[in-house]
Amino acid sequence: MGNRTSRRDRNNKTTVNAGHSLDYRSSDFVDERGAVLPVLPFTATGGTEYTPGNGYKYHKFTSNGNLVVTVEGACDILVVAGGGSGGNYYGGGGGAGGVAYGVDVPMPVATHPVVVGAGGAAVNATGIGLVGNNTTVGAPGVSIGGQPDYIVAKGGGYGGRGTTTGGGAGGSGGGDGGGNSPPYGGLATQPGTNPSPVITDYGFPGGWSYPSGGYAPAGGGGAGAQGVNITGNIPGAGNGGVGVAIPGFEYPLVGMSPYSPLSPSNNHYGGGGGAGMYGSPVAPDRTGTGGYGGGGGDDGIPGTNYLGGGGGGKHPPGSSSGKGGDGIVIVRYLA
């Protein structure tokens, strides 16, 4: 058998019995004569880090920063853009920020810039809302996540106003003001943004409002559903479209307070903004309620920050419409 020996190899493993290595961290047995090395776990730094005890480590970015990957591998990534703000005066709801969600996204060793988009600002006088800002992970033109460019979530579209301005295009589209000509509702531009086969894009159009005069405005689109449409000369305000639920990304796992009833499962992102109320509310879909996932509501309620919710519309314009909610980036991998 020979003498038992012990030494450190180049990977800081303890080698015993002259020709074999035992990795005490992973219990992988290595035959050094075949140069077989264990696969090290994905490792990264950046943002605010959480290890909540569910088997994953999380990195949360609510402002710009860097995800520094020190050991390459795969991770799950949630990228949410800023929501659009609501319109003022027969104001449509703001569109939610687009959502890009990747599972087992390959990430090379590098410093990956993270840019978190702010929501569109509130409108203080008669007018359309403002679009939200994009959220990105990676550098422009540098391959990441199995695609030739950075990961992008697009800012939400603005809420329309009055009888002349429809909702704006965005990750999820903004809702029409109270009475507009075709085309209906703000278009959703998030779908198809990221070509990676492991990333899914979420975004829906804003609702349309096509009465013959200035009546109920429409809700903003959410990441999971279109904003509520308005047909005919009717009162109320269209509800915002619901956001998308992302299991494993529940708010308390990354230090955010439970947002119920903003999400019954505490994991919706990208709720569309509800429109500004004209006349009396009509239950259940014309009450100007924001969609699950942080959508603001009637009378200028803002979208919720870090959920990318669209801002609520306003009517009449005695005060400001609702600001869009800021975006977020969350990365997780096996701890």
Side-chain angles (χ1 to χ4, degrees):
M1 292 289 292
N3 296 328
R4 294 179 64 86
T5 61
S6 178
R7 65 181 176 84
R8 293 281 180 179
D9 67 9
R10 63 183 178 179
N11 293 296
N12 202 33
K13 298 181 181 300
T14 301
T15 304
V16 296
N17 282 340
H20 299 88
S21 173
L22 183 64
D23 182 348
Y24 290 99
R25 292 170 297 173
S26 63
S27 297
D28 288 335
F29 192 73
V30 180
D31 185 342
E32 289 190 339
R33 291 168 296 185
V36 178
L37 299 175
V39 177
L40 297 176
F42 178 85
T43 304
T45 60
T48 304
E49 301 179 12
Y50 301 87
T51 307
N54 66 343
Y56 288 88
K57 184 175 182 179
Y58 293 77
H59 298 258
K60 179 181 72 174
F61 294 85
T62 56
S63 59
N64 298 350
N66 292 298
L67 178 69
V68 181
V69 177
T70 53
V71 177
E72 68 179 7
C75 60
D76 300 337
I77 302 179
L78 175 64
V79 185
V80 182
S85 60
N88 207 334
Y89 180 64
Y90 293 100
V99 174
Y101 174 52
V103 178
D104 290 334
V105 179
M107 295 288 285
V109 172
T111 296
H112 304 284
V114 174
V115 177
V116 178
V123 178
N124 294 315
T126 298
I128 63 175
L130 297 174
V131 298
N133 292 280
N134 294 350
T135 295
T136 61
V137 177
V142 178
S143 178
I144 185 175
Q147 61 186 32
D149 210 338
Y150 55 8
I151 301 170
V152 182
K154 293 183 176 180
Y158 58 76
R161 64 154 301 263
T163 60
T164 58
T165 309
S172 290
D176 281 354
N180 295 281
S181 300
Y184 305 124
L187 299 178
T189 59
Q190 185 63 40
T193 295
N194 296 289
S196 169
V198 295
I199 297 175
T200 303
D201 293 308
Y202 296 93
F204 280 80
W208 49 266
S209 175
Y210 195 42
S212 59
Y215 282 81
Q226 183 177 2
V228 170
N229 300 321
I230 303 296
T231 304
N233 294 347
I234 55 178
N239 294 350
V242 68
V244 60
I246 308 292
F249 286 76
E250 286 71 27
Y251 314 140
L253 293 175
V254 290
M256 296 194 293
S257 298
Y259 285 146
S260 182
L262 299 181
S263 168
S265 51
N266 267 319
N267 61 5
H268 283 81
Y269 295 84
M277 187 69 63
Y278 170 81
S280 302
V282 180
D285 61 352
R286 299 203 305 276
T287 60
T289 302
Y292 288 146
D298 166 51
D299 205 29
I301 296 175
T304 302
N305 286 337
Y306 317 136
L307 302 185
K314 178 73 177 179
H315 178 76
S319 59
S320 64
S321 67
K323 173 191 177 298
D326 296 345
I328 195 170
V329 171
I330 304 174
V331 177
R332 76 166 191 169
Y333 49 89
L334 291 172

